[in-house]
Amino acid sequence: MLSELKEAVFKANLELTRSGLVILTFGNVSGIDRRRGIVAIKPSGVPYDSLKAEDIVLVDLEGQVVEGWLSPSSDTATHCELYKAFPGIGGVAHAHSEFATMFAQARREIPCFGTTHADLFHGPVPLTRLLVEAEVAADYARNTGRAIVERFAGLDPQAVSAVLVAGHGPFTWGRTPVEAAETALVLEQVAKMALGSLVLEPRLAPLERHILEKHYLRKHGPDATYGQKKEKGHD
């Protein structure tokens, strides 16, 4: 079972580089075995072109290595904090993708300007506060995760599966590691379109709420109509 998790995390990490979301060794994807409380994550500083499934490191929910000969990602504690706070997620991705990171560095959330955004995110992509000096000095990665969790007080992490960490970059999540990586790709496209829209119309207002609701709920609501429905008796 854990070998399957490592394989899934390995493939999801490759999706980040195939999608052009990372350069060099920037970025990481993890996945979790909820029953065992074990997280699989990319090792720190290992180039994607030499990464193998067996290199994926297993840690517990406190970030302690339980299997692997390489050091886990420096963002491991951030991932662990998200898994502990958001029980419905099964994968987390982090990339310094160009356009989403621009918004994080500008310390601006990404408003919902159009239906592409509304198809995945039920509202703006939120921005965390900056960490204070003591938080950075004490446990930077863990406190980054805690700042994300703090920002999601009153928000549904299933409805908005992404966040911008102020001055840093985006984190995304999903039901699986691959879904988390795919969300990172959509987030980057949404950020690119949002920036272009603001260049064309700096005073642009967010998309009207009734259109946002229509597009989000037709894919994710209880009566979703998007996609193919299975017939009874058929797979």
Side-chain angles (χ1 to χ4, degrees), residues 150-230:
E150 173 190 298
R151 180 63 183 84
F152 270 77
L155 298 178
D156 180 359
Q158 306 285 23
V160 181
S161 51
V163 69
L164 303 176
V165 177
H168 186 173
F171 282 82
T172 60
W173 46 86
R175 293 167 295 182
T176 66
V178 168
E179 185 173 281
E182 290 173 346
T183 302
L185 178 59
V186 177
L187 175 65
E188 179 65 1
Q189 186 70 11
V190 162
K192 182 178 181 179
M193 290 189 291
L195 181 59
S197 299
L198 286 168
V199 169
L200 291 170
E201 177 47 81
R203 295 170 296 178
L204 182 65
L207 183 69
E208 285 73 10
R209 190 73 194 185
H210 63 280
I211 302 177
L212 188 162
E213 294 291 333
K214 178 65 176 181
H215 273 261
Y216 182 80
L217 294 175
R218 75 175 186 171
K219 292 189 75 169
H220 307 284
D223 300 314
T225 59
Y226 181 84
Q228 303 301 311
K229 298 189 180 299
K230 293 182 179 180

Side-chain angles (χ1 to χ4, degrees), residues 11-93:
K11 290 179 178 177
N13 273 282
L14 294 187
E15 283 301 312
L16 288 187
T17 185
R18 287 191 188 120
S19 300
L21 297 178
V22 298
I23 60 170
L24 301 177
T25 60
F26 296 176
N28 41 73
V29 182
S30 69
I32 187 169
D33 182 318
R34 286 286 180 185
R35 186 173 65 83
R36 293 179 173 88
I38 298 295
V39 173
I41 194 165
K42 180 184 179 290
S44 180
V46 175
Y48 288 94
D49 58 5
S50 63
L51 184 67
K52 302 182 292 295
E54 54 264 36
D55 295 332
I56 300 300
V57 185
L58 300 181
V59 301
D60 63 22
L61 279 169
E62 296 307 314
Q64 298 301 309
V65 175
V66 298
E67 181 182 303
W69 54 90
L70 296 168
S71 299
S73 166
S74 57
D75 295 307
T76 295
T78 304
H79 290 238
C80 289
E81 290 301 309
L82 298 183
Y83 287 124
K84 288 190 287 187
F86 304 156
I89 68 175
V92 174

Side-chain angles (χ1 to χ4, degrees), residues 86-106:
F86 304 156
I89 68 175
V92 174
H94 172 52
H96 292 255
S97 56
E98 185 176 4
F99 290 93
T101 301
M102 287 182 191
F103 275 88
Q105 291 182 168

